[in-house]
Amino acid sequence: MPVTAYIMIKANTGEADRLRDDVEAIDGVEHAYIVAGDVDLIAKVSVDSPGEVKDVAATKIQGIAGVEDTQTYIAMD
């Protein structure tokens, strides 16, 4: 059963458009949305395990230049 997660991404000023393209290019990311509020983007992730969510968030997304911080929420149903 796939694991769905939402990753909130804070970006450096003026980087949201570029980051959206970079985030959407990551395997497992279904879509990245530019949003208004405390974060700049929300990425919807669908992968096979919680470990893969961690890899997408902590390694791949946080490894992109211009990403300041992330918060990850795993869907429970």
Side-chain angles (χ1 to χ4, degrees), residues 7 13 16 18-19 27 40 48 64 75-76:
I7 302 172
T13 303
R18 181 188 62 81
L19 288 178
D27 286 340
D40 301 296
D48 293 328
I64 298 171
M76 300 303 287

Side-chain angles (χ1 to χ4, degrees), residues 5 7 10 18 22 41 53 57 65 68 72:
I7 302 172
K10 286 188 179 183
R18 181 188 62 81
D22 291 348
L41 296 117
V53 172
E68 288 183 13
T72 303

Side-chain angles (χ1 to χ4, degrees), residues 8-30:
M8 312 298 137
I9 304 165
K10 286 188 179 183
N12 291 337
T13 303
E15 295 282 344
D17 286 325
R18 181 188 62 81
L19 288 178
R20 179 178 52 190
D21 293 339
D22 291 348
V23 169
E24 285 187 333
I26 296 170
D27 286 340
V29 174
E30 289 186 356

Side-chain angles (χ1 to χ4, degrees), residues 1 14 31 51 58 66:
M1 182 170 182
H31 194 66

